[in-house]
Amino acid sequence: MQKRVIYFDHAATTYVKPEVLDAMLPYFTQEYGNASSVYSIGRSNRKAIEDARETVAKCIGAMPNEIYFTGSGTEADNWAIKGAALAHRNKGKHIITSSIEHPAVLAPCEFLQKQGYDITYIPVDQDGLVNPADVDKAIRPDTILVTIMMANNEIGTIQPIKEIAQVCKKHGVLFHTDAVQAAGNIPIDVKDLGVDLLSVSGHKFYGPKGTGALYIRKGVKIESLIHGGHQERNRRAGTENVPGIVGFAKALELATQNLDAHYEKLYKLRERALEGIFEKIPHVRLNGHREKRLPGNLNVSFSFVEGESILLMLDMKGIKASSGSACTSGSLDPSHILLAIGLPHELAHGSLRLTFGESNTEEEVDYLVDCLAEIIDKLRRMSPLYEDFIKGEC
Amino acid sequence: MQKRVIYFDHAATTYVKPEVLDAMLPYFTQEYGNASSVYSIGRSNRKAIEDARETVAKCIGAMPNEIYFTGSGTEADNWAIKGAALAHRNKGKHIITSSIEHPAVLAPCEFLQKQGYDITYIPVDQDGLVNPADVDKAIRPDTILVTIMMANNEIGTIQPIKEIAQVCKKHGVLFHTDAVQAAGNIPIDVKDLGVDLLSVSGHKFYGPKGTGALYIRKGVKIESLIHGGHQERNRRAGTENVPGIVGFAKALELATQNLDAHYEKLYKLRERALEGIFEKIPHVRLNGHREKRLPGNLNVSFSFVEGESILLMLDMKGIKASSGSACTSGSLDPSHILLAIGLPHELAHGSLRLTFGESNTEEEVDYLVDCLAEIIDKLRRMSPLYEDFIKGEC
Amino acid sequence: MYSDKVMDHFMNPRNVGEIEDADGVGQVGNAKCGDIMKMYLKIEDGVIVDAKFKTFGCGAAVATSSMATELIKGKTIKEAEQITNKAVLEALDGLPPVKVHCSVLAEEAIAAALNDYKQRNGLTEDARYEACGGCCGGCGSYRDDETEDH
Amino acid sequence: MYSDKVMDHFMNPRNVGEIEDADGVGQVGNAKCGDIMKMYLKIEDGVIVDAKFKTFGCGAAVATSSMATELIKGKTIKEAEQITNKAVLEALDGLPPVKVHCSVLAEEAIAAALNDYKQRNGLTEDARYEACGGCCGGCGSYRDDETEDH
Ligand SMILES: Cc1ncc(COP(=O)(O)O)c(C=O)c1O
Ligand SMILES: Cc1ncc(COP(=O)(O)O)c(C=O)c1O
């Protein structure tokens, strides 16, 4: 019996679209030359890379020579943060970030802290929003970098990036944004946003894993993270992953072309799920901003139950989702993001993230809602917290 | 008219073997779940990664938990060198390397030099060999790392890694070797070699580009290069490139299984080319050690002519090769490796690297020799240096 | 990640519920850490004739609760006191390293319920049983990043 | 990387060779840098009636030598002196940035040969013409890592 599989975890990773894989395939077995070679097979690879660079640039409003391909979104984040920190340490060692960043940003900041840098974590409000005025206040004469994500990976909240960029510009401080979750889901125009550095990751928009890119505004000084050969205009060494780069660009191109339809579709699925859940299940709360959020992101907390249990039971029904519960992260604490928006530990443990994608249907959403109602009921009936709550009520 | 293509540049990069691509394909479009997820689609990815790790470990005589997947050979080299430098800086800041390393090793060393580290470059003899006694002499109380490549990318010379490792062990100094060119061409057993750190790159043994691995001996302290999520046991962050990892392991497994036959085949092609060239073309010299060299590597210098010109003319005949000439490297100097073995600039500019691979044939080699004889003759007839030489002779 | 046994005890937990007139009740863990186990025992002539539980927690927490109640049913208090977290682990065909603390929690929940019984019956001098706080990591179940995958 | 014109002039270079009784010979560049151009001129009544070259160097070095000889043949000395590296570049439909110095070298080679002719005929006071050393980068052809691909 083939079990039905319904994938609601597109923020974790997406499948590679067939058109994307098709674009990549020739570069594995046929067009495999080294892109730095003088001979013709290498030159066709060089052209493929430069075409990809142009495509990516166009998709985010940059110039081709402002795009640098990396091996992941995490590498792009590490490069932006450590590279800027190293290049500007003579000016100062103060970096500002937010309390709800992805580990790909937080961990480099913590690393730098151990190297003698000073990190300020801007808090967020109950919806997960950073207040640009807080950034303004936090900037000091020795501030060299502000890094605040464009859209959050767990609660989907979209930050006022343009306003924060203006604050940074006013003070002459570099601004990096982690747009890994934003790319392919909402429009990105680096010039309009006014950012200096911006990271993206291929496997979040139906491109291949192990690919990413860093936008570096022309004129921005930044040290390399990976030193070696002359690739990527001397800034990111290593034989170019040609199929990966081609697939990355193709995926971003497809995503950008269809952005409105994509947004509309995911938004509808999200709202349908949201309404269904709130209608059928009591004691639930929405995490993240009601409107300023990624179209495909739904994050809710169910009182009295724990997230991993929900995930396992959903999995038995063929539904794939994720949670901010400690039990699923391999760490001992629940999601720092959910705590940062003020959730008590219990509700953080009881969170469920559903992230919708292009192949999901309304029927799948309805099935999800039915399953969830049943699962939450079952888990609550075995929860001592629910028992206490009910007894307290009567 | 479809032009014949003969690829003699396998040290630059290889095609992906069909079996390798087949192993990768399911992970692009079907098995795409996040390997860190609790649900079943993610778990099958986790298993694929851990199976790959076991395979790679077996191929180089390591334990699975000593293998860390990276995004390239360059990243593995950077990680080994910068990671060791950072983790051991309290002991000292002296690093020893050789004068013929790949930029993926030299550039991180130069970077560290700018950060206040002290780098010693061990010279090589006319065959490109490092003398372990020189390493012994260079080690100081503040030496924290020795990094010397296993086999050279240009001249193919194989270093006495085991002897160098013994020297390092005697002094209690960490030893890293860049085995990017060695892997898949000669046997590697990390325990027998006695190395602490060893880097490899997938696209040099018929695996995918954008993949690599670092062997870190259990117990070796090393700082991360890419910080973020908990992947690779907290040591190399970023969503795992599952198809890449699977392809990397499959390729290394195939290469290791067939190592003897592979060696024999490439060795024969190399010797045939070598004999043909020396028979038909005067004023040529072999670069690198006559015996202690990679089976598929042939590097020769032709007096009075320049390398890029040779490559272009070979390309017109459908033959793809490479050169240590400055004109092909994008830098202003010819190969530092050829200069390090004592070649005058002129001969370094006139070098040609032919690196044979599994799909090459004897017939192709014979065609190469004929083409080369013709091309070198043509180029010499338009060379003012050859004119001077002939005039000097009579 | 979980064995079939664990998944079976998670999806079809045995002995879920309360015992209205329980002879001993014990609760360990706390919501902050994501695991709470509450154990109800019915004890007759020193023998555990019934056991039920309620658990807030992950799959492993539910499964270990279920297995623990199964293991102690029909046992004497002495026998039940000798059931360690290892026994629960083995009965479930093991747990991932990061989940081992759940089995410790189960052992503690039994102990807490038994202690409650003893106290009610004047069989112990401890005013309060010192249970494991339930907050992971305190009981030797630390992840070893060097040597273990998780 | 190279235009069709460059490849044509590289594969089928015009005017390769020596002129035994040349009226002017100039050589620029050096083996260290990988580029040497030697230019032979036959000059009659102030007009370049023949030009030949020998070049050690990359594809661009050969092609610019070839094109340069083509451009000056039939020209007066004055006209030839006004042929800049830009003219050579344009005639070849351009060169990659890292190869622009080759066109400079070609301009210098012509100048050196013309200078040799003038010296032999007492038309100049310079004892020795100061040619570009040929070592890349000195003539504004530096790579700009910020803005240009190579
Ligand atoms: C917001 C955010 N930043 C960075 C990353 C890191 O991207 P990757 O895992 O592709 O390296 C992710 C996803 O994992 C993310 O969601
Ligand atoms: C000896 C050596 N080390 C390191 C590298 C870097 O590997 P990659 O380009 O795959 O990052 C290469 C090849 O480019 C190499 O030949």
Side-chain angles (χ1 to χ4, degrees):
Chain A
M1 199 190 72
Q2 182 75 28
K3 222 174 62 178
R4 166 170 203 188
V5 171
I6 301 175
Y7 189 74
F8 288 144
D9 203 13
H10 292 84
T13 193
T14 55
Y15 56 91
V16 172
K17 279 187 190 163
E19 306 95 291
V20 172
L21 183 58
D22 283 348
M24 296 168 68
L25 283 178
Y27 296 94
F28 286 112
T29 47
Q30 288 144 39
E31 296 289 325
Y32 55 88
N34 189 318
S36 302
S37 304
V38 296
Y39 48 74
S40 37
I41 196 176
R43 291 203 294 274
S44 68
N45 271 273
R46 159 93 6 243
K47 184 161 167 13
I49 294 173
E50 296 316 324
D51 286 353
R53 201 185 307 283
E54 223 178 291
T55 301
V56 172
K58 228 174 264 170
C59 290
I60 65 165
M63 292 186 298
N65 62 8
E66 296 176 317
I67 304 295
Y68 296 84
F69 293 113
T70 68
S72 67
T74 300
E75 186 194 323
D77 281 338
N78 271 258
W79 182 9
I81 295 166
K82 296 178 194 165
L86 214 50
H88 298 275
R89 69 185 151 173
N90 287 337
K91 183 190 164 196
K93 292 191 158 194
H94 181 232
I95 294 172
I96 296 169
T97 186
S98 86
S99 56
I100 61 162
E101 297 297 315
H102 189 272
V105 165
L106 289 181
C109 286
E110 283 158 19
F111 167 76
L112 288 172
Q113 196 157 22
K114 275 188 255 154
Q115 311 299 317
Y117 287 77
D118 189 12
I119 317 288
T120 297
Y121 298 89
I122 304 272
V124 293
D125 69 13
Q126 75 281 358
D127 293 324
L129 280 172
V130 169
N131 185 344
D134 289 346
V135 177
D136 197 20
K137 268 177 272 168
I139 291 178
R140 314 187 309 214
D142 62 337
T143 306
I144 51 174
L145 177 71
V146 173
T147 172
I148 288 171
M149 71 200 318
M150 190 159 179
N152 187 270
N153 44 304
E154 283 189 31
I155 56 174
T157 299
I158 299 167
Q159 302 297 341
I161 292 302
K162 195 169 171 173
E163 288 71 23
I164 299 171
Q166 277 161 358
V167 166
C168 293
K169 193 167 220 168
K170 188 178 78 180
H171 293 280
V173 171
L174 281 185
F175 180 43
H176 165 250
T177 191
D178 172 344
V180 168
Q181 289 290 337
N185 286 314
I186 54 172
I188 297 178
D189 183 321
V190 291
K191 300 300 170 205
D192 180 56
L193 290 172
V195 298
D196 298 303
L197 299 156
L198 179 142
S199 326
V200 286
S201 180
H203 70 102
K204 306 287 187 185
F205 45 77
Y206 310 91
K209 294 178 174 59
T211 65
L214 181 62
Y215 158 78
I216 306 178
R217 187 175 57 71
K218 196 172 152 68
V220 166
K221 222 174 87 189
I222 176 168
E223 175 65 81
S224 291
L225 180 70
I226 299 183
H227 297 88
H230 292 293
Q231 296 90 351
E232 297 298 288
R233 300 195 293 293
N234 282 333
R235 286 182 144 182
R236 196 273 184 181
T239 302
E240 296 92 340
N241 176 4
V242 187
I245 288 170
V246 167
F248 177 92
K250 182 76 190 170
L252 189 58
E253 186 179 30
L254 290 174
T256 310
Q257 279 169 355
N258 287 318
L259 203 52
D260 288 350
H262 171 87
Y263 189 98
E264 189 65 17
K265 173 170 182 156
L266 267 51
Y267 180 84
K268 274 196 187 145
L269 292 174
R270 201 262 313 281
E271 291 298 306
R272 189 180 184 92
L274 180 60
E275 281 159 26
I277 289 170
F278 274 77
E279 201 184 290
K280 298 216 174 160
I281 306 173
H283 312 301
V284 52
R285 83 160 250 164
L286 176 69
N287 299 317
H289 198 280
R290 183 67 185 87
E291 270 93 42
K292 294 176 188 164
R293 73 187 302 141
L294 292 171
N297 175 290
L298 179 55
N299 191 308
V300 285
S301 280
F302 299 99
S303 300
F304 321 124
V305 299
E306 191 275 339
E308 194 209 77
S309 287
I310 308 175
L311 294 189
L312 286 171
M313 290 201 171
L314 281 174
D315 190 29
M316 298 309 283
K317 305 266 186 190
I319 297 173
K320 319 297 173 187
S322 88
S323 166
S325 167
C327 287
T328 63
S329 70
S331 82
L332 304 176
D333 281 314
S335 156
H336 67 285
I337 295 165
L338 298 177
L339 298 180
I341 60 171
L343 243 58
H345 273 71
E346 187 221 311
L347 280 178
H349 283 297
S351 77
L352 176 70
R353 182 186 73 175
L354 299 157
T355 45
F356 303 101
E358 301 206 353
S359 56
N360 291 140
T361 64
E362 296 194 345
E363 192 271 325
E364 288 177 338
V365 167
D366 295 343
Y367 174 71
L368 161 79
V369 171
D370 287 344
C371 291
L372 255 185
E374 185 191 316
I375 288 168
I376 300 300
D377 182 56
K378 180 173 176 181
L379 287 172
R380 280 183 180 160
R381 274 188 289 111
M382 66 169 93
S383 167
L385 296 173
Y386 189 62
E387 182 185 316
D388 293 349
F389 171 75
I390 294 297
K391 283 180 185 153
E393 281 215 320
C394 31
Chain B
M1 198 189 74
Q2 182 74 28
K3 222 176 62 179
R4 166 170 203 188
V5 171
I6 301 175
Y7 189 75
F8 288 144
D9 203 13
H10 292 83
T13 193
T14 55
Y15 57 91
V16 172
K17 279 187 189 164
E19 306 96 290
V20 172
L21 184 57
D22 283 348
M24 297 169 67
L25 283 178
Y27 297 95
F28 286 112
T29 46
Q30 287 144 42
E31 296 288 325
Y32 54 89
N34 188 318
S36 303
S37 303
V38 296
Y39 48 74
S40 37
I41 196 175
R43 291 202 295 273
S44 69
N45 270 274
R46 158 88 10 237
K47 184 163 167 10
I49 293 173
E50 296 316 324
D51 287 352
R53 200 186 307 282
E54 223 179 289
T55 301
V56 172
K58 228 175 262 170
C59 290
I60 64 166
M63 292 186 298
N65 61 10
E66 296 177 316
I67 303 297
Y68 296 84
F69 293 113
T70 68
S72 67
T74 300
E75 186 195 322
D77 281 339
N78 271 258
W79 182 10
I81 295 166
K82 296 178 195 167
L86 214 50
H88 299 274
R89 68 185 152 172
N90 287 337
K91 183 191 165 195
K93 292 191 156 193
H94 181 232
I95 294 171
I96 297 169
T97 186
S98 87
S99 57
I100 61 163
E101 297 296 316
H102 189 272
V105 165
L106 290 181
C109 286
E110 283 157 19
F111 167 76
L112 287 171
Q113 197 157 21
K114 274 188 258 155
Q115 311 299 315
Y117 287 76
D118 189 11
I119 317 288
T120 297
Y121 297 88
I122 304 272
V124 294
D125 69 13
Q126 75 282 359
D127 293 325
L129 279 173
V130 170
N131 185 344
D134 288 346
V135 178
D136 197 20
K137 267 178 272 165
I139 291 179
R140 315 187 308 215
D142 63 338
T143 306
I144 50 173
L145 177 71
V146 173
T147 172
I148 287 170
M149 71 201 315
M150 189 158 179
N152 187 269
N153 45 303
E154 281 188 34
I155 56 175
T157 299
I158 299 168
Q159 302 297 341
I161 293 301
K162 194 169 172 172
E163 289 70 23
I164 300 171
Q166 277 161 358
V167 167
C168 293
K169 193 167 218 168
K170 187 178 78 181
H171 292 280
V173 170
L174 281 185
F175 180 42
H176 166 250
T177 190
D178 173 344
V180 167
Q181 288 291 337
N185 286 315
I186 53 173
I188 297 178
D189 183 321
V190 290
K191 300 298 171 207
D192 179 57
L193 290 173
V195 298
D196 298 304
L197 299 156
L198 180 142
S199 325
V200 287
S201 180
H203 70 104
K204 305 287 187 185
F205 45 76
Y206 309 91
K209 293 179 174 59
T211 65
L214 181 63
Y215 158 77
I216 306 178
R217 187 174 58 71
K218 196 172 151 67
V220 166
K221 223 175 86 189
I222 175 169
E223 174 66 78
S224 292
L225 180 69
I226 299 183
H227 297 87
H230 292 293
Q231 296 90 350
E232 297 299 288
R233 299 194 295 292
N234 281 334
R235 285 182 145 183
R236 196 273 183 181
T239 302
E240 296 92 340
N241 176 3
V242 187
I245 287 170
V246 166
F248 176 92
K250 183 76 191 171
L252 188 58
E253 185 179 31
L254 290 174
T256 310
Q257 279 168 356
N258 288 318
L259 203 52
D260 287 350
H262 170 88
Y263 189 98
E264 189 65 17
K265 172 171 183 153
L266 267 50
Y267 179 85
K268 275 196 186 146
L269 291 174
R270 199 262 317 279
E271 291 298 306
R272 189 179 185 92
L274 180 61
E275 282 160 26
I277 288 169
F278 274 78
E279 201 183 290
K280 298 216 174 162
I281 307 173
H283 312 303
V284 53
R285 82 160 251 165
L286 176 69
N287 299 318
H289 197 280
R290 182 68 185 86
E291 270 93 39
K292 295 176 187 164
R293 73 186 303 139
L294 291 172
N297 175 291
L298 179 56
N299 191 310
V300 285
S301 280
F302 299 99
S303 300
F304 321 124
V305 298
E306 190 274 339
E308 193 208 78
S309 287
I310 307 174
L311 294 189
L312 286 170
M313 290 201 171
L314 281 173
D315 190 28
M316 299 309 283
K317 304 265 186 194
I319 298 172
K320 318 297 172 186
S322 89
S323 166
S325 167
C327 288
T328 63
S329 69
S331 84
L332 303 176
D333 281 316
S335 157
H336 67 284
I337 295 166
L338 298 177
L339 298 181
I341 60 171
L343 243 58
H345 272 73
E346 188 221 310
L347 280 178
H349 283 297
S351 77
L352 177 69
R353 182 186 72 176
L354 298 157
T355 45
F356 303 101
E358 302 206 353
S359 56
N360 291 140
T361 65
E362 296 194 346
E363 192 271 324
E364 288 177 340
V365 166
D366 295 343
Y367 175 71
L368 161 79
V369 171
D370 288 344
C371 291
L372 255 184
E374 184 190 318
I375 288 168
I376 300 300
D377 182 56
K378 180 173 176 182
L379 286 172
R380 281 184 179 157
R381 275 188 288 110
M382 65 169 93
S383 168
L385 295 173
Y386 189 61
E387 183 185 316
D388 293 348
F389 170 77
I390 294 297
K391 282 180 184 152
E393 282 216 319
C394 29
Chain C
M1 143 174 140
Y2 287 132
S3 70
D4 291 344
K5 271 260 181 70
V6 173
M7 282 310 290
D8 177 34
H9 275 266
F10 169 65
M11 290 304 292
N12 310 296
R14 320 321 188 235
N15 312 310
V16 176
E18 303 166 53
I19 299 175
E20 291 281 315
D21 55 343
D23 299 307
V25 179
Q27 179 169 321
V28 295
N30 64 58
K32 185 162 182 291
C33 300
D35 290 303
I36 299 176
M37 286 185 197
K38 191 169 184 179
M39 198 75 77
Y40 300 85
L41 302 179
K42 188 87 204 138
I43 298 176
E44 284 171 15
D45 299 334
V47 174
I48 299 168
V49 293
D50 199 10
K52 290 206 181 297
F53 78 92
K54 287 216 169 171
T55 287
F56 162 85
C58 62
V62 172
T64 52
S65 306
S66 167
M67 182 54 86
T69 52
E70 283 287 277
L71 289 178
I72 58 171
K73 279 210 300 193
K75 297 273 194 311
T76 64
I77 292 176
K78 274 261 136 63
E79 286 167 345
E81 280 175 339
Q82 274 150 30
I83 291 172
T84 61
N85 76 308
K86 267 195 132 162
V88 177
L89 269 181
E90 278 165 21
L92 286 170
D93 295 341
L95 280 175
V98 280
K99 299 295 188 180
V100 168
H101 70 276
C102 293
S103 67
V104 176
L105 212 55
E107 179 187 329
E108 297 287 344
I110 296 170
L114 288 173
N115 199 62
D116 179 50
Y117 168 79
K118 287 184 185 171
Q119 242 186 275
R120 292 196 206 178
N121 294 277
L123 303 173
T124 179
E125 278 142 38
D126 303 4
R128 248 187 88 85
Y129 180 77
E130 271 295 337
C132 159
C135 223
C136 336
C139 46
S141 67
Y142 265 113
R143 295 181 290 138
D144 177 356
D145 289 330
E146 257 292 347
T147 56
E148 281 167 354
D149 295 351
H150 44 86
Chain D
M1 148 176 136
Y2 287 133
S3 71
D4 291 345
K5 271 258 182 70
V6 174
M7 283 309 290
D8 176 36
H9 274 264
F10 169 66
M11 290 305 291
N12 311 297
R14 321 320 188 235
N15 313 309
V16 176
E18 303 167 52
I19 299 175
E20 291 283 314
D21 56 344
D23 300 306
V25 179
Q27 178 168 320
V28 295
N30 64 59
K32 186 163 183 286
C33 300
D35 290 303
I36 299 176
M37 286 186 197
K38 191 168 185 180
M39 198 76 74
Y40 300 86
L41 302 180
K42 188 89 202 134
I43 298 176
E44 282 171 14
D45 300 333
V47 174
I48 300 167
V49 295
D50 199 10
K52 290 207 182 294
F53 78 91
K54 286 216 170 172
T55 288
F56 162 85
C58 60
V62 173
T64 52
S65 308
S66 167
M67 181 54 86
T69 52
E70 282 289 275
L71 288 179
I72 59 171
K73 277 209 304 194
K75 296 272 193 312
T76 64
I77 293 174
K78 273 261 135 63
E79 287 166 343
E81 280 176 338
Q82 274 149 31
I83 291 174
T84 60
N85 76 308
K86 267 195 134 165
V88 178
L89 267 181
E90 278 165 20
L92 287 169
D93 296 342
L95 281 174
V98 281
K99 300 293 189 179
V100 168
H101 70 275
C102 293
S103 66
V104 176
L105 212 55
E107 179 187 328
E108 298 286 345
I110 296 170
L114 288 173
N115 198 63
D116 180 49
Y117 168 80
K118 288 185 186 170
Q119 244 188 272
R120 294 195 204 177
N121 294 279
L123 303 174
T124 178
E125 278 142 37
D126 303 4
R128 245 185 91 84
Y129 179 77
E130 273 294 337
C132 160
C135 222
C136 336
C139 47
S141 66
Y142 263 113
R143 295 180 291 138
D144 177 357
D145 290 331
E146 257 291 347
T147 56
E148 280 166 353
D149 295 351
H150 44 87

